[in-house]
RNA sequence: AGGCGCGUAGCUCAGUUGGUUAGAGCGCAUCCCUCACACGGAUGAGGUCCGCGGUUCGAGUCCGCGCGCGCCUACCA
């Protein structure tokens, strides 16, 4: 226990690191594994191991930590499992870039030495992420930290691959895939980013074998080198006589058959004739299969025309495009050229234009997995927050295509498939010594798996799967996943597919999808724009608590977060406010204060009962907010309670009476409860203040406040609002009239019911202190008094003679106008027979009462004006 | 092309199952360095809730259409 006084200045840097170490070394981050505590588990969306955290990570870390700390304080056996992802392409690209600077390549280095470099790079960078996570206060269990290429997780990947393969859900096939000519690897459909671009469309003619020509259109003229058919619609009269005949390829020694295909061809489009390149276009690929056409690959892995391209061989695809157009022109076959808007696929990682390429790859048959994944979301076993994402999720899964999972990279999980010289294929968990069929030596498939394949196993592979570990039994399915909506398909859907299929259970009971952190003007943050915010920088500038509070308060469900740095200043001011309030309280304490639990409403004054009632409501709504991931609401509730209820009102009321023990007890007790409530959002400052106030247990381990109906007192709160409004009204009135705030005013309550009036007149000391009320009574107004409408009460104020100025008359007039509008509206409604007949009786009664009150007030106010005029 | 989301105060956003007088934070203006806090206090100005139509006694809230913005999905040559 410490009673040394809080420093005057709030200086987060002076204690943040200290508390983090204390928490960590106390074991608070690790679950206790005690059986009577319900488990609660979050697995972290693993950041790229060699990456740097951006503010979006900070958001997710904050929200995860908020939830995990809250649940831990509620008594759950909480585990937040951290880790990182090897991020195949992204990381490999970084190291390759480094090699390029050294004037070498991975091929020159060879696979083994290249991988050594990769691991070295990983080792150098791996602490980046955890250091940043720790600075933010993340209460992860570092003893359970995982990396996707760890032995355990690699074993999980192998088990998953072998299982799916044995079930026929993973297969190898020659297909059209997305090929990145720069990364030299296949990509899944999701890794291709479509961008609307202004392209061109060319028309050119194929001369027919006998006579005449047929005109086709294309956006990629170079692909004509791989054309093996020309298709027309079977019902198209223009071409019906030509089907079965051949055209002559202008540059290659090839006859090109004319075929009829109703699926490929839209007779309304262009000339109604389509060139067919089965090896380089997805539609044409299907057409090729239907018609058993020849598949001619004209590109190499670099995106250059290969030998099949005749005179164009060796040219880059874009150079070849120009060359083909030129050559067509030279032969007099070019028929037209026009601008054409179209969506072009780019590599997600390097932005190179992706090429559809015929290639032998490994695929996951996604449909059967998708069915289960759809089911668990539809029946609520996985709750999606916000739920409007369900539609998007369903649409994608309902139309899911098979997933290409092999990558021609070196950094990743090597595909556990082996072949011998005889061509026997072996897919197994343990590396075989030789082919079990023929006994010959085997070679492993050189490719690695898509990173997302291993990420898809993350919620259970990190807990020990495929072993039946204690952790897996206790914490799986995990409780909630918190991540960005941008990886809904990449990651979330795949975890659900893989989890349901491989473990028979959902990977998490709920998934909360956060928005994107944008800059102050709503633009996406990017390094090129230079509008990024470095989490570590803002943490050291504003303190981790302010950064966390800002992000959490901004996190409205399903919305992006426009982050203005000034918000952080604002919430640092909030932290400072808490700090100073605590200093005040600490100053007043005498050491004999009782815990709130020992107090009973009967022993307390109205102000104490009021703040305790407000506290109880706040506890209720904050818990409710966390419960449904309304981080914004929870933060606003807390902000409002601490600043505008506790500091603005209660502290001011308590100032004069801290000699009373129960006042000090409430002062301290409410502050401590507020600190506990705030702890999940602002762990450091709350812990530091709690310690200084003599709270022995660390807040991280303290029970989170539960709603306590004992303190809720709505009647008192209504009385208290009247008091507040009276005080505010008097201040406002003085300001308007130009009277000093200290100038005493005698108050007569005129149109106020007895109960309320009784309360207010009992609060003379408080009213004197807060609003310099000279006296207050219920009764008829003195002749010279000025009638004011304050907080819905009619009060008469006695002022020095002649103090009713022009400004005030204007203000009264304004009030009258507003009331009169109100009156007219009420009268109109009440005279409408359909309103009185159809609206619920309590609404009608309410309107009647209001009208009566408004009418009286209007009268009084008019009298006041007249009196002052006369 | 389809789907989703958004359009409320100068800015960024809340607004529960429709209940009539629409809120917050920041910013702005005026006053105040009162013994926790100027990263503060008090007061105030500021809104045709995108437009039109409909349902209803009553619409920021529900429905339709339109306009604008954003995002996702998509194989149209």
């Amino acid at each position: 226990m410490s009673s040394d006084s809080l420093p005057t200045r709030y200086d987060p840097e002076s204690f943040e690191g200290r508390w983090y170490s204390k928490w960590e070394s106390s074991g608070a981050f690790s679950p206790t594994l005690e059986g009577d505590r319900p488990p609660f588990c979050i697995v972290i969306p693993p950041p790229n191991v060699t990456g740097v955290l951006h503010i979006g990570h900070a958001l997710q870390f904050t929200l995860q930590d908020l939830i995990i700390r809250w649940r831990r304080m509620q008594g759950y056996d909480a585990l937040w499992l951290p880790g990182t992802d090897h991020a195949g392409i992204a990381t490999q690209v970084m190291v390759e870039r480094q090699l390029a600077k050294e004037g070498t390549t991975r091929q020159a280095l060879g696979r083994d030495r290249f991988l050594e470099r990769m691991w070295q790079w990983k080792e150098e960078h791996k602490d980046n992420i955890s250091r940043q996570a720790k600075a933010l206060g993340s209460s992860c269990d570092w003893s359970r930290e995982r990396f996707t290429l760890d032995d355990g997780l690699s074993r999980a990947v192998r088990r998953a691959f072998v299982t799916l393969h044995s079930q026929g859900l993973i297969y190898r096939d020659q297909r059209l895939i997305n090929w990145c000519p720069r990364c030299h690897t296949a990509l899944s459909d999701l890794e291709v980013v479509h961008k609307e671009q202004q392209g061109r469309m060319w028309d050119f003619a194929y001369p027919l074998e006998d006579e005449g020509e047929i005109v086709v259109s294309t956006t990629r003229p170079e692909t004509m080198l791989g054309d093996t058919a020309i298709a027309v619609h079977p019902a198209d009269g223009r071409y019906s006589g030509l089907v079965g005949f051949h055209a002559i390829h202008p540059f290659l020694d090839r006859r090109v058959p004319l075929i009829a295909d109703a699926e490929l061809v839209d007779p309304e489009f262009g000339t109604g004739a389509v060139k067919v390149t089965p090896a380089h276009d997805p539609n044409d690929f299907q057409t090729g299969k239907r018609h058993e056409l020849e598949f001619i690959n004209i590109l190499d892995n670099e995106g250059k025309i290969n030998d099949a391209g005749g005179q164009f061989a060796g040219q880059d695809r874009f150079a070849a495009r120009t060359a083909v157009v030129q050559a067509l022109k030279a032969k007099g076959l070019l028929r037209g050229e026009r601008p054409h808007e179209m969506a072009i696929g780019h590599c997600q990682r390097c932005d190179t234009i992706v090429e559809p390429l015929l290639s032998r790859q490994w695929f996951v048959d996604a449909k059967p997995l998708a069915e289960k994944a759809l089911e668990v979301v539809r029946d609520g076993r996985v709750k999606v927050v916000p739920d409007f994402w369900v539609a998007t999720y369903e649409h994608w899964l309902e139309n899911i295509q098979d997933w290409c999972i092999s990558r021609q990279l070196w950094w990743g999980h090597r595909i556990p498939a082996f072949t011998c010289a005889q061509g026997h294929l072996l897919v197994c968990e343990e590396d075989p010594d030789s082919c079990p069929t023929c006994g010959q030596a085997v070679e492993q498939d050189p490719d690695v798996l898509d990173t997302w394949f291993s990420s898809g196993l993350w919620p259970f592979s990190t807990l020990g799967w495929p072993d039946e570990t204690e952790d897996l039994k206790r914490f799986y399915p995990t409780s909630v996943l918190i991540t960005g909506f941008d990886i809904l398909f990449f990651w979330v859907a795949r975890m659900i597919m893989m989890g349901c299929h491989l473990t028979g259970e959902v990977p998490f009971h709920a998934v909360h999808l956060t928005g994107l952190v944008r800059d102050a003007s709503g633009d996406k943050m990017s390094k090129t724009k230079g509008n990024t915010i470095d989490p570590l920088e803002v943490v050291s500038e504003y303190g981790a608590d302010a950064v966390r509070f800002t992000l959490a308060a901004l996190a409205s469900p399903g919305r992006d977060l426009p982050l203005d740095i000034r918000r952080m200043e604002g919430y640092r001011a909030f932290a400072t406010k808490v700090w100073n309030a605590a200093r005040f309280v600490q100053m007043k304490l005498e050491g004999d204060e009782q815990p709130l639990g020992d107090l009973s409403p009967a022993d307390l004054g109205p102000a104490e009962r009021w703040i305790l009632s407000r506290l109880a409501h706040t506890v209720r709504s904050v818990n409710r907010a966390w419960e449904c991931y309304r981080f914004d609401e929870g933060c606003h509730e807390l902000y409002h309670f601490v600043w505008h209820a506790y500091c603005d009102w209660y502290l001011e009321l308590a100032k004069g009476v801290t000699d009373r023990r129960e006042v000090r007890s409430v002062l301290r007790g409410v502050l401590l409860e507020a600190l506990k409530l705030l702890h999940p959002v602002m762990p450091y400052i709350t812990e530091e203040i709690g310690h200084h106030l003599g709270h022995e247990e660390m807040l991280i381990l303290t029970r989170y406040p539960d709603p306590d109906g004992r303190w809720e007192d709505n009647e008192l709160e209504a009385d208290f609002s009247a008091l507040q409004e009276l005080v505010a009204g008097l201040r406002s009135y003085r300001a308007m009239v130009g009277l000093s705030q200290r100038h005493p005013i005698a108050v007569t309550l005129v149109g106020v019911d007895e109960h309320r009036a009784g309360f207010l007149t009992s609060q003379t000391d408080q009213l004197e202190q807060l609003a310099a009320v000279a006296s207050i009574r219920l009764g008829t107004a003195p002749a010279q008094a000025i009638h004011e409408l304050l907080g819905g009460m009619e009060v008469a104020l006695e002022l020095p003679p002649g103090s009713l100025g022009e400004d005030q008359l204007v203000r009264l007039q304004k009030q009258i106008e507003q009331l009169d509008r109100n009156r007219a509206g009420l009268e109109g409604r009440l005279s409408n027979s359909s309103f009185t007949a159809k609206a619920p009786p309590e609404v009608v009664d309410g309107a009647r009462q209001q009208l009566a009150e408004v009418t009286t007030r209007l009268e009084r106010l008019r009298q006041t004006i007249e009196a002052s005029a006369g």
Side-chain angles (χ1 to χ4, degrees):
Chain A
M1 166 151 175
S2 155
S3 54
D4 48 336
S5 57
L6 285 159
T8 323
R9 208 170 65 88
Y10 165 58
D11 177 20
E13 252 173 309
S14 68
F15 54 79
E16 286 184 354
R18 195 177 72 233
W19 281 110
Y20 197 90
S21 311
K22 266 195 173 170
W23 293 327
E24 195 175 7
S25 60
S26 75
F29 297 165
S30 301
T32 62
L33 304 181
E34 282 162 12
D36 55 334
R37 289 165 154 250
F40 188 91
C41 178
I42 297 179
V43 291
I44 208 164
N48 176 352
V49 67
T50 70
V52 179
L53 288 194
H54 51 71
I55 198 77
H57 289 112
L59 166 70
Q60 287 173 25
F61 280 40
T62 297
L63 301 184
Q64 290 173 73
D65 196 44
L66 196 164
I67 291 291
I68 210 82
R69 282 179 185 267
W70 169 58
R71 290 300 193 189
R72 188 185 291 123
M73 289 172 79
Q74 280 191 324
Y76 285 84
D77 200 23
L79 168 60
W80 183 13
L81 200 154
T84 43
D85 191 292
H86 67 281
I89 301 185
T91 316
Q92 180 164 323
V93 164
M94 284 192 251
V95 175
E96 281 183 303
R97 243 179 243 154
Q98 199 188 33
L99 291 181
K101 271 186 211 155
E102 297 167 17
T104 181
T105 62
R106 70 170 156 128
Q107 286 80 4
L109 226 55
R111 189 160 189 151
D112 289 342
R113 282 185 57 205
F114 178 73
L115 283 177
E116 271 172 39
R117 285 292 295 264
M118 290 293 310
W119 279 101
Q120 192 188 326
W121 177 275
K122 183 242 160 189
E123 285 306 315
E124 283 164 14
H125 290 79
K126 73 166 188 199
D127 291 337
N128 250 336
I129 301 293
S130 48
R131 204 182 61 244
Q132 296 180 77
K134 287 174 184 179
L136 280 161
S138 312
S139 60
C140 313
D141 182 356
W142 297 105
S143 72
R144 285 175 166 80
E145 185 175 6
R146 295 287 185 273
F147 174 51
T148 44
L149 289 180
D150 281 351
D151 289 345
L153 275 69
S154 299
R155 222 154 47 76
V157 165
R158 280 204 162 196
R159 170 67 61 87
F161 189 96
V162 171
T163 305
L164 290 167
H165 180 262
S166 71
Q167 294 167 335
L169 294 171
I170 283 182
Y171 60 92
R172 192 161 57 161
D173 194 13
Q174 171 99 351
R175 288 210 191 181
L176 214 52
I177 47 88
N178 306 295
W179 182 264
C180 175
R182 203 223 57 92
C183 299
H184 297 134
T185 180
L187 303 171
S188 70
D189 295 344
L190 284 178
E191 289 160 299
V192 178
V193 182
H194 292 274
K195 294 184 190 172
E196 281 290 332
Q197 284 183 349
Q198 191 63 250
R200 304 192 83 62
M201 172 101 87
W202 290 268
D203 303 324
F204 70 91
Y206 263 107
L208 295 175
E209 201 168 27
D210 302 324
E211 57 174 319
E213 62 177 35
I214 188 161
V215 178
V216 295
S217 307
T218 182
T219 54
R220 294 186 296 157
E222 73 282 9
T223 62
M224 63 87 70
L225 299 170
D227 283 356
T228 56
I230 295 162
V232 296
H233 197 273
D236 192 337
R238 290 173 292 179
Y239 303 112
S240 50
L242 296 175
V243 175
F245 288 84
H246 289 79
I248 302 290
H249 199 287
F251 309 121
L252 298 162
D253 184 19
R254 194 193 305 154
R255 293 165 75 226
V256 182
L258 271 78
I259 60 169
D261 191 284
E263 249 184 88
L264 179 72
V265 183
D266 172 6
E268 304 291 312
F269 190 95
T271 60
V274 186
K275 62 188 272 309
V276 184
T277 323
H280 292 284
D281 181 277
N283 289 314
D284 296 3
F285 178 77
Q286 296 301 333
T287 311
K289 287 208 149 176
R290 282 196 294 276
H291 296 268
E292 295 184 346
L293 299 173
E294 218 184 324
F295 289 72
I296 301 178
N297 186 2
I298 58 157
L299 288 176
D300 66 14
N301 288 351
E302 306 270 334
K304 291 195 189 120
I305 305 293
N306 63 19
D307 291 345
Q311 64 191 89
F312 303 97
Q315 295 192 27
D316 176 78
R317 51 193 167 144
F318 299 112
R321 176 170 301 174
T322 317
V324 165
V325 170
Q326 283 305 321
L328 284 168
K329 203 171 185 178
K331 290 209 171 206
L333 294 171
L334 195 67
R335 289 291 175 269
E337 179 184 345
R338 58 186 177 280
H340 182 71
E341 183 102 335
M342 54 187 189
I344 300 176
H346 292 70
C347 173
Q348 187 194 28
R349 282 294 158 201
C350 72
D351 212 38
T352 304
I353 292 179
V354 162
E355 211 56 50
L357 199 73
L358 206 52
S359 173
R360 192 170 163 82
Q361 302 285 345
W362 291 91
F363 296 88
V364 171
D365 177 7
K367 281 214 167 56
L369 303 178
E371 274 167 35
K372 192 78 185 169
L374 277 165
E375 192 185 308
V376 295
V377 165
R378 285 188 177 135
D379 67 20
R381 270 181 284 167
V382 174
K383 192 179 169 221
V384 179
V385 183
D387 61 3
F388 61 73
W389 284 111
V390 171
T392 308
Y393 174 85
E394 287 183 346
H395 180 260
W396 187 71
L397 283 173
E398 281 164 359
N399 298 288
I400 197 161
Q401 301 294 313
D402 283 1
W403 172 19
C404 176
I405 50 170
S406 41
R407 298 286 178 275
Q408 288 63 55
L409 307 171
W410 288 349
W411 179 239
H413 300 277
R414 188 106 174 237
I415 292 174
F418 304 81
T419 42
C420 66
Q422 300 289 318
H424 297 129
L425 176 69
L426 185 62
V427 171
C428 52
E429 286 189 48
E430 299 297 329
D431 290 5
D433 294 326
S434 58
C435 176
T437 316
C438 62
Q440 294 195 20
V442 290
E443 236 178 88
Q444 186 167 8
D445 191 311
D447 292 347
V448 300
L449 288 163
D450 182 358
T451 308
W452 296 104
F453 187 88
S454 56
S455 313
L457 315 176
W458 185 255
F460 42 100
S461 63
T462 51
L463 289 169
W465 187 89
D467 295 337
E468 271 286 307
T469 58
E470 288 304 309
D471 276 2
L472 188 70
K473 277 190 260 181
R474 185 163 178 77
F475 295 109
Y476 191 80
T478 66
S479 307
V480 60
L481 178 84
I482 297 176
T483 191
F485 70 87
D486 50 321
I487 49 177
L488 177 61
F489 305 141
F490 275 110
W491 194 44
V492 178
R494 280 159 178 176
M495 278 189 287
I496 299 178
M497 291 195 280
M498 297 289 229
C500 289
H501 186 78
L502 293 168
T503 71
E505 298 203 66
V506 297
F508 30 76
H509 297 298
V511 51
H512 178 262
L513 298 164
T514 67
L516 210 65
V517 182
R518 296 170 174 279
D519 73 5
S521 43
D523 287 334
K524 223 168 178 166
M525 289 190 183
S526 75
K527 275 173 226 148
T528 47
K529 264 189 240 164
N531 57 352
T532 53
I533 293 177
D534 174 13
L536 284 186
E537 239 170 64
V538 286
V539 161
S540 72
E541 170 119 35
Y542 301 100
D545 291 326
V547 172
R548 293 168 60 111
F549 200 96
T550 305
L551 292 168
L554 243 33
S556 294
R559 293 196 76 124
D560 286 346
L561 294 78
L563 179 58
D564 191 328
I565 204 80
R566 281 176 302 182
R567 293 295 290 257
M568 298 204 183
E569 288 173 23
Y571 290 123
R572 181 184 53 190
F574 175 62
T576 307
K577 187 77 182 175
V578 175
W579 186 264
N580 284 311
R583 282 178 52 228
F584 170 79
V585 170
Q586 193 187 33
M587 229 174 222
K588 301 292 180 188
L589 294 185
E590 291 179 12
D592 62 347
E593 289 76 22
Q594 303 159 277
L596 292 183
D598 291 359
L599 301 173
S600 111
D603 307 331
L604 303 174
E608 282 66 42
R609 283 187 283 129
W610 172 77
I611 193 67
L612 284 162
S613 180
R614 286 311 315 144
L615 172 68
H617 279 118
T618 305
V619 168
R620 193 180 295 283
S621 46
V622 166
N623 273 298
R624 194 171 41 217
W626 301 156
E627 194 89 48
C628 50
Y629 310 103
R630 286 304 303 259
F631 306 106
D632 56 336
E633 279 185 2
C635 289
H636 293 145
E637 283 286 341
L638 285 167
Y639 184 95
H640 185 263
F641 175 76
V642 170
W643 201 315
H644 299 304
Y646 185 76
C647 292
D648 285 354
W649 289 96
Y650 184 64
L651 238 47
E652 294 305 322
L653 281 166
K655 266 181 186 169
V657 287
T658 50
D659 53 321
R660 283 156 55 185
R661 184 182 174 208
E662 77 270 17
V663 171
R664 289 194 306 276
S665 300
V666 170
L667 218 39
R668 176 175 182 273
V670 171
L671 178 58
L672 279 175
E673 292 303 290
L675 292 174
K676 293 178 202 167
L677 286 173
L678 272 169
H679 179 81
V681 202
M682 306 185 114
Y684 292 118
I685 188 177
T686 51
E687 201 72 87
E688 178 72 4
I689 295 174
H691 174 70
H692 279 279
L693 289 180
H695 193 272
E696 293 191 44
E697 192 181 30
M698 288 199 292
L699 293 188
I700 191 174
L701 295 170
T702 297
R703 176 84 197 173
Y704 203 70
D706 290 309
D708 186 350
R710 197 164 68 107
W711 295 110
E712 286 178 25
D713 188 341
N714 290 328
E715 201 182 327
L716 175 71
E717 288 206 29
D719 285 340
F720 214 86
S721 315
L723 177 104
Q724 290 177 310
E725 281 168 9
L726 179 58
V727 169
L730 286 164
R731 286 171 180 165
S732 165
Y733 180 77
R734 285 197 184 86
M736 199 57 87
V737 182
L739 217 56
S740 152
Q741 291 295 344
R742 312 290 278 276
H743 191 102
I745 296 182
V747 177
T748 308
L749 303 168
V750 185
V752 180
D753 73 74
E754 252 177 75
H755 166 83
R756 181 65 40 85
F759 172 75
L760 290 173
T761 49
S762 77
Q763 299 303 107
T764 45
D765 287 351
Q766 287 81 346
L767 285 167
E768 203 279 323
Q769 188 189 340
L770 296 174
V773 168
S775 66
I776 179 164
R777 62 182 186 88
L778 177 65
T780 34
Q784 300 300 309
I786 286 150
H787 289 268
E788 269 286 331
L789 189 61
L790 301 179
M793 296 174 296
E794 192 193 352
V795 300
L797 312 175
E798 287 173 76
L799 280 182
S803 56
L804 192 62
E806 193 62 32
D807 284 351
Q808 199 214 3
L809 285 173
V810 169
R811 186 159 161 272
L812 284 177
Q813 200 56 51
K814 248 178 144 177
Q815 277 192 15
I816 286 174
E817 277 162 29
Q818 200 194 332
L819 275 174
D820 208 41
R821 252 179 283 134
N822 198 354
R823 183 191 52 77
L826 286 163
E827 273 177 357
R829 238 183 310 152
L830 284 165
S831 62
N832 182 344
S833 59
S834 47
F835 172 69
T836 47
K838 292 185 187 173
E842 61 271 21
V843 173
V844 178
D845 279 353
R848 288 218 174 89
Q849 262 179 41
Q850 272 187 50
L851 180 60
E853 285 168 28
V854 165
T855 311
T856 318
R857 285 176 201 154
L858 270 171
E859 230 169 87
R860 294 279 158 72
L861 287 174
R862 287 197 170 115
Q863 282 170 9
T864 303
I865 290 202
E866 277 166 32
S868 104

